[in-house]
């Protein structure tokens, strides 16, 4: 096995094409998680234009690329998944049957440790380094939109009836309700980011769009388009004005649900739920196999999901003092967060406290 490490701009067109081809065929080889757009070359290259330290390891056998490992690293060898904290899928994109030695890969990449929090299923060489595995809800569209609605109706008949009734009420309250699956107006993207920032502040969460590099990343991805990858903005309009919007990433078969938000003035109509149903309908028509709602417990995710996949977190480490120090700093924070998320009573209390803080900050 030969491993070469490149800066994003150094990756050849042939290697990029090989990487995309592996993703395109992933569902045929029993590794559908590798088709996730967060594992695409386009995402790694976009992060590389906004953040330092992005590198791509190409693993070759017989001179041909067999796997691709995107990562970020610091000068002292602390590594992390590309876009850690933003990315909902991480790992090595590889051809069927290919395996690798985790510590040898880190050594070739100049890493003492590699941290991940959304490791894709099937990354067997990293299995010994996983510290926790978590469900990630999915809207399964493999059999089409009507089949999805049938499963939703069977599992949550009251939810589906009430949600569809709200769309009818919205239609009576305004002159026109319109859905655009792939909106290209950058002004609407700015509206979405403003809504999302307000939501973060209102609920006491850290505002991701307070970081200029995240705004640049989203804007770059919005303008990135090919047959195998696109940044996609979906919008629900009422009387020509957006009332709900979502920006995510699309590969040939997966649409990731990344930044959803809505106008609070229309909250009684549940426009976010309506938007996701429209996204599922149009996505199924475009050949999308599933909408990945992302790890984390949310009521709307529980209502919309029809199955779950698994993602994992952990650290791959070598015997190195940098690895020991990094894990010692990060492990307690992760353990506390996961303990709160795993216990409903603790999560509810923490959520209420964050919302109170949000109201104070907002002057409400």
């Amino acid at each position: 096995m030969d491993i070469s490490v490149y800066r994003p701009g150094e990756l050849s067109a042939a290697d990029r094409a090989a990487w995309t081809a592996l993703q395109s065929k992933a569902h045929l080889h029993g590794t559908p998680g590798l088709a996730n757009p967060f594992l695409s070359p386009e995402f790694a290259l976009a992060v590389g234009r906004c953040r330092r330290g992005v590198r791509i390891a190409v693993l070759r056998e017989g001179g041909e690329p067999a796997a691709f490992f995107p990562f970020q690293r610091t000068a002292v060898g602390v590594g992390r998944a590309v876009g850690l904290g933003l990315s909902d899928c991480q790992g090595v994109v590889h051809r069927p049957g290919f395996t690798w030695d985790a510590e040898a890969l880190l050594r070739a990449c100049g890493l003492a440790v590699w941290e991940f929090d959304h490791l894709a299923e099937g990354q067997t060489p990293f299995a010994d380094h996983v510290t926790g595995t978590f469900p990630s809800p999915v809207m399964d569209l493999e059999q089409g939109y009507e089949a999805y609605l049938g499963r939703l109706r069977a599992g949550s008949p009251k939810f589906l009836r009430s949600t569809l009734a709200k769309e009818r009420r919205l239609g009576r309250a305004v002159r026109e309700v319109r859905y655009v699956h792939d909106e290209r107006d950058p002004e609407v993207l700015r509206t979405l980011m403003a809504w999302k920032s307000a939501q973060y502040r209102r609920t006491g969460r850290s505002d991701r769009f307070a970081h200029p590099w995240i705004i640049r990343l989203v804007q770059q991805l919005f303008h990135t388009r090919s047959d195998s990858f696109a940044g996609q903005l979906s919008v629900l309009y009422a009387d020509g004005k957006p009332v709900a919007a979502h920006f995510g990433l699309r590969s040939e078969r997966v649409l990731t649900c990344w930044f959803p938000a809505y106008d609070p003035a229309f909250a009684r109509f549940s426009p976010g739920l309506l938007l996701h149903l429209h996204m599922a309908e149009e996505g199924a028509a475009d050949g999308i196999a599933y909408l990945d709602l992302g790890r984390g417990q949310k009521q709307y995710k529980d209502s919309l999901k029809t199955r779950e996949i698994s993602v994992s977190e952990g650290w791959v480490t070598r015997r190195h003092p940098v690895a020991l120090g990094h894990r010692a700093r990060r492990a307690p924070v992760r353990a506390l967060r996961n303990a709160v998320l795993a216990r409903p009573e603790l999560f509810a209390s923490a959520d209420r406290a964050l919302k109170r803080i949000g109201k104070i900050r907002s002057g409400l």
Side-chain angles (χ1 to χ4, degrees), residues 137-263:
V138 161
M139 300 169 68
D140 192 340
L141 306 174
E142 188 73 49
Q143 304 303 318
Y145 181 64
E146 291 303 322
Y148 164 74
L149 285 185
R151 288 191 293 271
L152 207 60
R153 189 175 288 111
S156 308
K158 184 178 179 181
F159 161 75
L160 186 58
R161 280 197 308 271
S162 64
T163 302
L164 295 178
K166 287 176 181 177
E167 182 157 28
R168 291 191 294 271
R169 288 201 295 272
L170 176 60
R172 291 192 294 268
V174 300
R175 292 186 300 276
E176 179 194 34
V177 177
R178 179 169 58 94
Y179 171 72
V180 177
H181 191 55
D182 189 11
E183 175 62 80
R184 302 310 304 154
D185 184 352
E187 185 59 37
V188 183
L189 180 64
R190 286 189 284 271
T191 297
L192 168 60
M193 289 191 284
W195 283 346
K196 199 67 182 176
S197 286
Q199 178 190 337
Y200 287 137
R201 295 192 300 270
R202 189 168 61 247
T203 57
R205 268 68 175 182
S206 174
D207 181 4
R208 289 180 173 180
F209 291 113
H211 302 281
W213 78 268
I214 295 180
I215 295 175
R216 291 198 305 273
L217 175 65
V218 168
Q219 290 172 335
Q220 283 191 31
L221 291 169
F222 175 71
H223 292 291
T224 302
R225 307 183 66 75
S226 69
D227 291 340
S228 59
F229 179 94
Q232 185 165 301
L233 176 64
S234 301
V235 187
L236 186 68
Y237 289 92
D239 287 345
K241 296 182 179 180
V243 295
H246 166 268
F247 180 76
L249 306 180
R250 174 194 59 76
S251 65
E252 291 179 22
R253 292 180 55 80
V254 181
L255 175 60
T256 60
C257 297
W258 202 15
F259 291 114
Y262 61 86
D263 183 346

Side-chain angles (χ1 to χ4, degrees), residues 309-352:
I309 57 177
S310 295
V311 295
S312 302
E313 67 179 26
W315 296 267
V316 184
T317 58
R318 293 166 53 206
R319 292 184 179 275
H320 195 287
V322 169
L324 295 174
H326 180 76
R327 185 162 183 165
R329 289 191 302 273
R330 295 283 292 155
V333 176
R334 271 201 185 170
L336 178 60
R337 182 200 66 196
N338 290 335
V340 171
L341 293 176
R343 296 178 61 181
E345 69 278 12
L346 291 179
F347 177 78
S349 297
D351 190 53
R352 286 193 297 270

